[in-house]
Amino acid sequence: MATLLAVNSAASLWGPYKDIWQTVGNVLWRRQPEAVHLLDMILKKHKPDFISLFRNPPKNVQQHEKVQKASTEGVAIQGQQGTRLLPEQLIKEAFILSDLFDIGELAAVELLLAGEHQQPHFPGLTRGLVAVLLYWDGKRCIANSLKALIQSRRGKTWTLELSPELVSMTTRFTDELMEQGLTYKVLTLLSQIDVNNEFEKLQRERGLGSEKHRKEVSDLIKECRQSLAESIFSWACQTPLGKDDTLLLIGHLERVTVEANGSLDAVNLALLMALLYCFDISFIEQSTEERDDMIHQLPLLTERQYIASVHSRLQDSQPWKLPGLQATR
């Protein structure tokens, strides 16, 4: 039982995701050939994290009891002998963090212990405030990794000039994510994650510190949203979305509103451009070796009912929240 309830001192909601982003960067951007095998292993190991995309480990009665008694009975730490007693204050903070982010109690303990370990890098911040940064940094790493993997796909708009084997690996991996409903998950997250709402929750639990801390948290959340949106944009550029996903994207854009200054934010601009790329067939005029293969992958031309379904949806009399956005159709 102790093994099942052991704490990951690197924080399972942060450390592993940081390693994924580091490895993705080493392979795709820094072109380190020795890291390709590691990327293959990491993608296989963490495929469930990409499929579940931002889903947190749930609260658990057994974990709650374990953490509740951790000041007298201790908790097991992965890779360490024996158990570690936790101070009552840390236990109290863990329950607050668990409620704040709706995460499992042990995951909350992990974030606090990691926050404690990272405190020297964040002068003036408590372990709880650092834990908030680590939580959103973990999400950022997954979102950035997803975007980069999709950008490396084989497609019609660009190439990163990677090896054919590597492109096949990332294309196959991201294809599997799309088959598991990636578009729906990304659009749902973009509807749910809102900086103002997140700040309200953090404010209630005193999870925000100085102006610098507030800006860092805000920047992390905004980067998560932007990378998620650009994942859809990058996908549409390389491989236009199928009928059902295109309709999901249209449904999301129907509900979009403008910023206070009347402009369309970068997240929704990326989604609008993704939709327009779904209808782009300009590459047909290019005389590239892969053109014929790409034509066979274009839902606009190959998927029955694509044009009829999309046309019907766009001609729907229901007005969009932004008439100007609707006019681009």
Side-chain angles (χ1 to χ4, degrees):
M1 192 60 68
T3 309
L4 291 174
L5 294 177
V7 169
N8 180 346
S9 57
S12 54
L13 286 176
W14 176 65
Y17 299 158
K18 196 170 181 64
D19 291 342
I20 293 171
W21 178 223
Q22 179 71 29
T23 304
V24 168
N26 287 343
V27 174
L28 301 184
W29 311 131
R30 292 178 280 279
R31 308 298 173 96
Q32 297 177 5
E34 68 277 7
V36 174
H37 178 63
L38 178 58
L39 177 64
D40 187 32
M41 291 193 300
I42 277 183
L43 292 183
K44 287 174 180 174
K45 178 181 178 182
H46 289 284
K47 185 178 175 182
D49 293 303
F50 284 97
I51 290 175
S52 61
L53 199 62
F54 282 31
R55 186 185 302 158
N56 292 323
K59 294 180 182 180
N60 179 291
V61 173
Q62 196 176 17
Q63 287 188 18
H64 190 283
E65 291 176 357
K66 185 74 176 176
V67 173
Q68 189 82 61
K69 299 175 182 175
S71 61
T72 54
E73 297 180 7
V75 293
I77 307 291
Q78 288 179 19
Q80 296 182 19
Q81 295 281 330
T83 58
R84 172 175 169 178
L85 297 177
L86 300 181
E88 287 286 355
Q89 182 58 33
L90 190 144
I91 293 171
K92 181 180 178 183
E93 292 171 18
F95 288 139
I96 292 173
L97 206 60
S98 174
D99 289 339
L100 181 61
F101 293 130
D102 195 21
I103 59 178
E105 291 80 1
L106 285 183
V109 170
E110 290 174 354
L111 281 171
L112 287 167
L113 293 177
E116 202 168 70
H117 187 257
Q118 294 293 321
Q119 268 184 293
H121 302 294
F122 299 93
L125 295 187
T126 64
R127 66 187 169 212
L129 294 178
V130 176
V132 170
L133 289 173
L134 298 186
Y135 174 83
W136 281 109
D137 188 49
K139 303 292 190 213
R140 177 189 72 92
C141 288
I142 281 287
N144 285 350
S145 298
L146 175 67
K147 179 179 76 169
L149 290 167
I150 290 174
Q151 287 174 335
S152 71
R153 287 174 55 80
R154 185 181 295 108
K156 68 182 180 69
T157 305
W158 63 67
T159 172
L160 299 186
E161 299 185 346
L162 301 166
S163 72
E165 295 78 15
L166 180 54
V167 171
S168 292
M169 180 205 302
T170 58
T171 300
R172 185 171 58 251
F173 180 79
T174 49
D175 276 342
E176 291 170 357
L177 298 184
M178 186 57 79
E179 289 166 8
Q180 295 283 339
L182 181 64
T183 301
Y184 172 78
K185 291 168 187 171
V186 167
L187 294 177
T188 299
L189 286 170
L190 290 175
S191 297
Q192 292 173 344
I193 300 173
D194 176 82
V195 176
N196 292 331
N197 291 343
E198 294 300 326
F199 264 48
E200 283 179 19
K201 290 193 295 184
L202 288 166
Q203 191 73 54
R204 283 197 301 269
E205 299 296 347
R206 292 184 294 181
L208 293 171
S210 62
E211 282 302 313
K212 181 184 178 185
H213 180 261
R214 289 167 180 261
K215 184 178 186 307
E216 288 172 338
V217 174
S218 174
D219 287 348
L220 287 170
I221 298 173
K222 288 177 181 177
E223 188 172 343
C224 286
R225 286 176 46 79
Q226 192 63 40
S227 290
L228 288 172
E230 289 178 8
S231 294
I232 299 296
F233 169 72
S234 299
W235 186 287
C237 288
Q238 293 293 73
T239 319
L241 298 170
K243 172 175 68 71
D244 292 343
D245 287 333
T246 301
L247 293 174
L248 283 174
L249 183 53
I250 291 171
H252 182 90
L253 289 170
E254 286 173 348
R255 302 186 297 273
V256 163
T257 56
V258 291
E259 298 285 273
N261 63 4
S263 67
L264 192 65
D265 69 8
V267 166
N268 289 313
L269 180 59
L271 294 179
L272 173 61
M273 294 307 298
L275 179 63
L276 297 180
Y277 260 103
C278 288
F279 309 142
D280 174 42
I281 56 171
S282 60
F283 73 95
I284 292 177
E285 301 170 4
Q286 303 168 6
S287 57
T288 63
E289 294 179 8
E290 297 182 339
R291 187 188 69 169
D292 290 343
D293 289 338
M294 293 301 170
I295 289 175
H296 292 304
Q297 296 174 22
L298 192 66
L300 188 67
L301 301 179
T302 62
E303 201 170 327
R304 294 186 64 183
Q305 298 301 314
Y306 183 99
I307 294 177
S309 298
V310 171
H311 180 265
S312 175
R313 181 61 180 264
L314 291 176
Q315 294 302 314
D316 193 335
S317 58
Q318 179 184 351
W320 292 20
K321 286 198 172 181
L322 283 183
L325 196 59
Q326 188 174 12
T328 63
R329 66 189 186 176

